[in-house]
């Protein structure tokens, strides 16, 4: 009836449901199940088959892709990743986000900004989401090492992928997907020129990793060290009027 409250799927009732599995993970889970069945049924090697079957369930859980209720507020920057806020530091943005890339779209302004690092364990959802709505200006992949993603040096030495999103008012947010100790693949869902909505899925990192978010200069974080955050739902920071004016000016 008119006036009824609806959930984020347009339903009048709210109930728990199994989260879907992202297509990227179905093939890995299916292969693990097949191999486990070969050992269980074909060779009757239960000591190998049962652990592999449990592993396949873990793989399906790793690639779960739950729906999120995304705040619709132009003043907020949302977390692009599920996980633990492991570092908050004042740093210069990566060079790849600042230099002229020849496209005619300026990058981030040089100077120190607040970087929020979000560590994703193998138990977290690994689908990454856009922290703001806008146009993807840069997707820069950089090969590197596979140190523990919780270390500060991972931001500069690990395999990583920089993304830069620009809103229609000129505000830019840069963030970096960083490979970890176990992960060996960063999978992008977007490319330069794509338009994304806030909270839209933009990529994933396989098997434990980290995401760094570079807040606009002068923006204070709304999260604390050790806090658990949820991609597409947790507010990392609020954009003040000064940052909005600076974004338009750039």
């Amino acid at each position: 009836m008119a006036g009824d409250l609806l959930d984020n799927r347009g339903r009048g009732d709210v109930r728990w449901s199994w989260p879907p599995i992202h297509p990227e993970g179905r093939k890995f889970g299916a292969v693990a199940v097949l191999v486990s069945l070969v050992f269980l049924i074909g060779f009757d090697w239960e000591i190998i088959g049962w652990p592999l079957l449990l592993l396949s369930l873990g793989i399906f859980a790793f690639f779960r892709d739950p729906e999120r209720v995304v705040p619709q507020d132009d003043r907020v920057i949302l977390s692009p990743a599920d996980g633990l806020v492991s570092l908050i530091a004042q740093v210069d943005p990566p060079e790849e986000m600042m230099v002229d890339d020849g496209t005619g779209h300026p990058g981030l302004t040089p100077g120190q900004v607040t970087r929020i690092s979000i560590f994703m364990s193998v138990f977290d959802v690994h689908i990454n989401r856009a922290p703001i709505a806008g146009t993807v200006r840069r997707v820069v992949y950089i090969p590197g090492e596979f140190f523990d993603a919780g270390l500060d040096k991972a931001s500069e030495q690990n395999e990583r992928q920089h993304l830069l999103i620009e809103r229609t008012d000129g505000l830019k947010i840069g963030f970096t997907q960083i490979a970890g100790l176990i992960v060996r693949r960063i999978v992008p869902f977007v490319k330069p020129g794509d338009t994304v909505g806030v909270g839209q899925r933009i990529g994933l990192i396989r098997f434990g990793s980290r995401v760094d978010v570079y807040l606009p200069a002068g923006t204070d974080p709304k999260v604390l060290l050790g806090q658990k955050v949820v991609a597409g739902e947790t507010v990392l920071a609020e954009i003040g009027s000064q940052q909005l004016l600076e974004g338009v000016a750039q």
Side-chain angles (χ1 to χ4, degrees):
M1 74 186 323
D4 282 351
L5 293 176
L6 303 179
D7 68 1
N8 64 321
R9 295 183 182 179
R11 303 177 307 194
D13 59 335
V14 179
R15 59 181 181 273
W16 186 88
S17 61
W18 288 100
I21 306 301
H22 192 273
E24 182 70 20
R26 294 172 190 169
K27 55 186 177 184
F28 293 100
V31 169
V33 169
L34 180 61
V35 172
S36 65
L37 292 178
V38 169
F39 279 104
L40 283 172
I41 300 174
F43 298 100
D44 197 25
W45 290 356
E46 295 187 1
I47 193 172
I48 298 178
W50 286 116
L52 283 176
L53 191 58
L54 290 176
L55 176 63
S56 66
L57 295 178
I59 292 174
F60 282 125
F62 177 87
F63 285 101
R64 66 194 184 279
D65 186 15
E67 294 294 330
R68 295 288 162 81
V69 181
V70 181
Q72 301 298 312
D73 188 340
D74 289 341
R75 297 170 299 175
V76 301
I77 299 171
L78 301 182
S79 174
D82 285 29
L84 186 76
V85 177
S86 58
L87 293 167
I88 299 178
Q90 294 295 310
V91 300
D92 292 319
E95 186 72 18
E96 295 82 6
M97 291 188 186
M98 296 188 293
V99 298
D100 184 355
D101 64 353
T103 63
H105 299 290
L108 296 181
T109 302
Q112 290 213 326
V113 297
T114 300
R115 184 189 70 199
I116 298 178
S117 299
I118 303 166
F119 177 76
M120 296 181 286
S121 76
V122 293
F123 301 105
D124 290 311
V125 173
H126 273 57
I127 304 293
N128 297 148
R129 294 171 178 263
I132 60 171
T135 302
V136 178
R137 295 302 186 194
R138 299 186 185 185
V139 179
V140 184
Y141 170 78
I142 301 174
E145 304 297 332
F146 296 95
F147 295 118
D148 183 349
L151 300 176
D152 189 43
K153 65 180 180 180
S155 295
E156 298 179 353
Q157 298 185 31
N158 278 26
E159 179 172 323
R160 57 202 181 275
Q161 181 165 261
H162 301 303
L163 295 100
L164 182 64
I165 298 178
E166 181 179 10
R167 290 199 327 195
T168 54
D169 61 5
L171 185 79
K172 305 180 188 71
I173 298 293
F175 58 104
T176 305
Q177 298 169 292
I178 303 173
L181 187 64
I182 304 174
V183 72
R184 288 297 183 272
R185 181 80 189 278
I186 300 173
V187 183
F189 300 163
V190 296
K191 62 184 182 303
D194 287 351
T195 300
V196 296
V198 59
Q200 180 177 326
R201 299 164 179 83
I202 53 87
L204 66 83
I205 318 176
R206 291 211 282 254
F207 305 120
S209 43
R210 171 173 142 191
V211 172
D212 287 348
V213 184
Y214 297 88
L215 302 180
T219 303
D220 294 324
K222 298 297 182 182
V223 292
L224 301 174
L225 283 174
Q227 180 176 336
K228 290 286 290 184
V229 295
V230 178
E233 291 190 355
T234 301
V235 174
L236 290 186
E238 290 187 3
I239 304 169
S241 57
Q242 183 63 33
Q243 284 75 43
L244 290 173
L245 290 174
E246 290 177 354
V248 173
Q250 294 172 9

